[in-house]
Amino acid sequence: MAEVIKMPRMSDTMTEGVIVEWHKKVGDKVKSGDLLAEVETDKATMELDSYNDGTLLYIGVEKGKSAKVDDIIAVVGKEGEDYKSVLGGGAAAKSEASKAETAPKQEEAKKEESKVAPAATVTPEQLGVTVIRMPLLSDTMTEGKIVQWHKKVGDKVKSDDNLADVETDKATMEVVGYADGTLLYTGVPEGEAAKVNDVIAIVGKEGTDINGLLASLKSPQGGGKAASSQTTASATVASAPAEEPAAGAASENGRVKASTIAKKIAQDKGVDLKLVQGSGDGGRIIKKDIDNFTPAAASTKAAPAAAASVAPFNAAPGTEGYTDISLSQMRKVIARRLSESKFSAPHFYLTMEINMDNAMAARTQMNEMSPVKISFNDMVVKAAAMALKKHPAVNSSWMNESIRQWHHVHIGVAVAIEDGLIVPVIRFADQKSLSQIAAESKDLSGKARNKKLQPNEFTGNTFTVSNLGMMDIDEFTAIINPPDSAIMAVGRIKEVVVKKGDGFGVSNFMKVTLSCDHRSVDGAVGSAFLQTFKKYLENPVTMLV
């Protein structure tokens, strides 16, 4: 089935994006990870990669023209497929594209205005430099920390050089200058943080005097304005260490040709890009190339680092001491968001015990036929999704002045990673089979642990499941994950001696605890939801019909 590609929202202030360049044309074959286009937003120029294999069937926005956020800009599907039925939102994009024809005139007007600006105000356009700002890369990000500068003031840089690594609340990203020239200024030292939209670097012609520009940017008037989109850039949504030209991969001007997502995965997996053969355009390394590359050297190389992260402290007998661990951006946001949830949403808790005998027997039978191994957590997700359809009050969000009941079921599955907790989302879980949920859950969990989730993969949840049963936890309570109204905490399956007939036998029980926001979910509503959930798990065949 044809898949639409919409203009993504890449910052909280973004309302539209301009297509800077299409790297594919209608009729071209595309693979997951291929670079489709470059999109200029109000804060940066970003790469738009394909997440589907197929043929590019339609381009809705011409190069140089703009589209509103969520407008359809392209369609990918099978060659020859009739895609017109999925273009319901395409008209808006075309309308906005026609409006963009006035952009050159507006830009000329801006240039004329800059010529008559007061002498005290210096703009990037006047100097011909690119101002690089800290972008908003997630809905919860307020600042980013400079982990490492890969270039220093005075160094020559190219448009796709990695200037610095930036740690956000979700992952570590790379800052790319998107301009050829000299690094004239770095505004944030390594280890320190910058607020979203703060100036972090300037790239331009060697010898350019930027003192006047810095004064303008730091002034209340200059600092409050975002620079022109032609001279302001920001971070890309990926990260990677500096690399040498790859022997096995195509290179250009001495640099490895790889998508930013591929670089990020390679870094997290410890894969040497020198050994990877790219399958993208012109030998460009894409996501699948890294996913399918598993040399023994990579796994042995990663082992010492993993061991070091969990090494116990080693103190001399009779001595006191401590270690202060600086907070990652992710940990800061987890602390803030959960504090807000715990102290603003009135929590109450409902615990129920579920007989898992039938679920265990059914799982064994299903795994004999399923293409992917189905876990108990996959069964919990499916049962919860189906129960939410019958109890929409639980599938809701508190909106201060109203309660929003969602007409779709997106289940977030909490995954523990080194820096804290992230919640990848299984979309339309009620409409998927157990094997589909199992495959998607496995894929998303792997991405979460490797820090390569895309924003659409960890946002949009309407309900969350948190499972600690695999760690031998009998039961626990979880803090609601905003904007949900409830979260289910799942404990381990435990053998219990019970009366059976005239004697005794052993049955397997699992405890679940539902945390509810009392503003939107009442006790009776939560209890009814758990009763339906229990019926599905205790009779798994009902989830298959």
Side-chain angles (χ1 to χ4, degrees):
M1 179 179 176
E3 297 285 342
V4 298
I5 298 173
K6 297 183 178 182
M7 178 64 71
R9 184 185 297 277
M10 298 173 178
S11 78
D12 60 339
T13 57
M14 177 181 172
T15 58
E16 64 180 15
V18 177
I19 301 296
V20 177
E21 185 74 44
W22 281 105
H23 291 274
K24 297 285 186 180
K25 62 181 183 296
V26 172
D28 283 357
K29 299 289 186 183
V30 296
K31 297 179 181 178
S32 176
D34 279 357
L35 175 61
L36 291 183
E38 292 176 44
V39 178
E40 182 182 282
T41 75
D42 59 329
K43 289 189 170 66
T45 300
M46 315 291 248
E47 289 186 351
L48 178 66
D49 288 350
S50 172
Y51 293 100
N52 301 289
D53 294 342
T55 300
L56 186 58
L57 303 175
Y58 167 81
I59 290 178
V61 184
E62 297 176 13
K63 174 183 174 181
K65 295 189 177 181
S66 64
K68 293 284 188 183
V69 170
D70 285 335
D71 277 352
I72 296 173
I73 59 175
V75 178
V76 173
K78 295 180 180 178
E79 187 173 1
E81 182 178 358
D82 183 4
Y83 59 85
K84 293 180 181 178
S85 61
V86 301
L87 288 179
K94 291 180 182 177
S95 172
E96 290 305 319
S98 65
K99 292 179 184 178
E101 292 176 359
T102 61
K105 295 179 181 179
Q106 294 173 350
E107 194 58 44
E108 287 299 321
K110 289 180 182 177
K111 289 181 180 178
E112 289 301 319
E113 289 175 8
S114 68
K115 291 178 183 177
V116 297
T121 302
V122 180
T123 66
E125 292 93 336
Q126 290 172 330
L127 299 180
V129 300
T130 298
V131 175
I132 301 171
R133 295 175 180 267
M134 182 65 70
L136 180 74
L137 297 171
S138 78
D139 58 344
T140 56
M141 177 182 172
T142 58
E143 64 180 14
K145 183 170 75 174
I146 301 294
V147 178
Q148 181 181 5
W149 282 103
H150 294 288
K151 299 288 184 179
K152 62 182 184 294
V153 172
D155 283 357
K156 298 290 184 183
V157 298
K158 296 186 177 179
S159 59
D160 59 351
D161 279 351
N162 181 9
L163 299 185
D165 292 337
V166 175
E167 182 186 272
T168 74
D169 59 317
K170 302 290 186 186
T172 300
M173 315 288 190
E174 69 180 16
V175 174
V176 177
Y178 286 106
D180 294 343
T182 300
L183 184 60
L184 304 174
Y185 169 79
T186 56
V188 185
E190 288 184 0
E192 294 190 11
K195 296 288 186 183
V196 168
N197 211 38
D198 279 358
V199 176
I200 57 176
I202 298 176
V203 174
K205 185 178 179 181
E206 185 176 6
T208 302
D209 184 359
I210 60 171
N211 290 325
L213 174 61
L214 290 175
S216 298
L217 292 171
K218 291 176 181 178
S219 70
Q221 184 177 1
K225 293 181 180 179
S228 161
S229 61
Q230 288 189 340
T231 54
T232 302
S234 205
T236 59
V237 188
S239 79
E243 299 139 344
E244 297 296 324
S251 62
E252 189 177 77
N253 296 328
R255 300 188 304 279
V256 176
K257 291 175 65 176
S259 72
T260 50
I261 297 299
K263 291 178 182 178
K264 172 71 178 87
I265 301 171
Q267 177 195 10
D268 292 334
K269 287 189 173 183
V271 173
D272 187 351
L273 288 177
K274 295 178 182 179
L275 306 176
V276 180
Q277 184 65 46
S279 62
D281 294 341
R284 185 172 182 259
I285 300 172
I286 60 176
K287 171 180 170 296
K288 284 186 177 179
D289 301 326
I290 306 298
D291 287 340
N292 297 330
F293 185 79
T294 53
S299 59
T300 56
K301 190 176 182 181
S309 66
V310 295
F313 65 85
N314 186 16
T319 62
E320 297 179 348
Y322 61 85
T323 300
D324 287 332
I325 301 172
S326 60
L327 296 177
S328 66
Q329 295 301 109
M330 178 179 285
R331 178 60 67 183
K332 286 181 182 178
V333 172
I334 288 173
R336 176 173 58 82
R337 295 263 290 174
L338 292 183
S339 295
E340 290 172 356
S341 174
K342 182 66 175 177
F343 298 117
S344 65
H347 286 52
F348 73 90
Y349 309 97
L350 302 169
T351 300
M352 182 172 280
E353 200 169 56
I354 298 171
N355 189 315
M356 294 293 287
D357 288 344
N358 289 338
M360 294 175 72
R363 175 175 175 265
T364 300
Q365 291 179 317
M366 286 188 288
N367 278 334
E368 291 175 357
M369 298 178 289
S370 175
V372 60
K373 186 177 180 181
I374 297 169
S375 70
F376 289 113
N377 200 60
D378 299 326
M379 300 178 76
V380 167
V381 169
K382 177 66 173 177
M386 295 183 69
L388 287 169
K389 290 290 287 185
K390 293 189 175 184
H391 303 275
V394 182
N395 192 52
S396 65
S397 297
W398 176 257
M399 307 300 291
N400 292 321
E401 298 300 325
S402 63
I403 298 173
R404 179 171 295 171
Q405 290 189 3
W406 300 101
H407 297 164
H408 55 269
V409 178
H410 293 346
I411 304 287
V413 180
V415 175
I417 59 177
E418 184 178 351
D419 290 332
L421 191 74
I422 195 165
V423 184
V425 178
I426 299 175
R427 297 176 179 272
F428 306 105
D430 58 309
Q431 302 171 23
K432 294 178 178 176
S433 67
L434 280 164
S435 58
Q436 288 175 318
I437 290 173
E440 191 169 335
S441 180
K442 181 179 180 182
D443 179 56
L444 290 172
S445 296
K447 286 183 177 181
R449 293 187 178 94
N450 290 325
K451 295 184 180 179
K452 57 183 181 180
L453 285 173
Q454 296 301 300
N456 66 304
E457 293 175 324
F458 57 75
T459 56
N461 46 284
T462 62
F463 184 86
T464 302
V465 171
S466 180
N467 192 335
L468 291 177
M470 71 289 294
M471 303 182 75
D472 290 336
I473 300 300
D474 287 337
E475 61 178 304
F476 66 104
T477 57
I479 299 174
I480 295 169
N481 179 35
D484 300 350
S485 286
I487 182 172
M488 180 180 287
V490 183
R492 70 179 177 125
I493 298 174
K494 184 178 181 180
E495 288 187 343
V496 178
V497 176
V498 296
K499 187 172 180 3
K500 291 187 176 182
D502 295 332
F504 292 89
V506 173
S507 283
N508 297 275
F509 287 89
M510 179 180 76
K511 288 184 179 180
V512 297
T513 299
L514 187 69
S515 304
C516 302
D517 182 345
H518 216 324
R519 296 173 300 180
S520 49
V521 179
D522 294 329
V525 172
S527 300
F529 165 81
L530 281 180
Q531 286 179 323
T532 303
F533 172 79
K534 180 176 182 177
K535 288 177 181 177
Y536 280 127
L537 266 190
E538 291 190 340
N539 299 281
V541 69
T542 58
M543 293 191 285
L544 308 177
V545 296

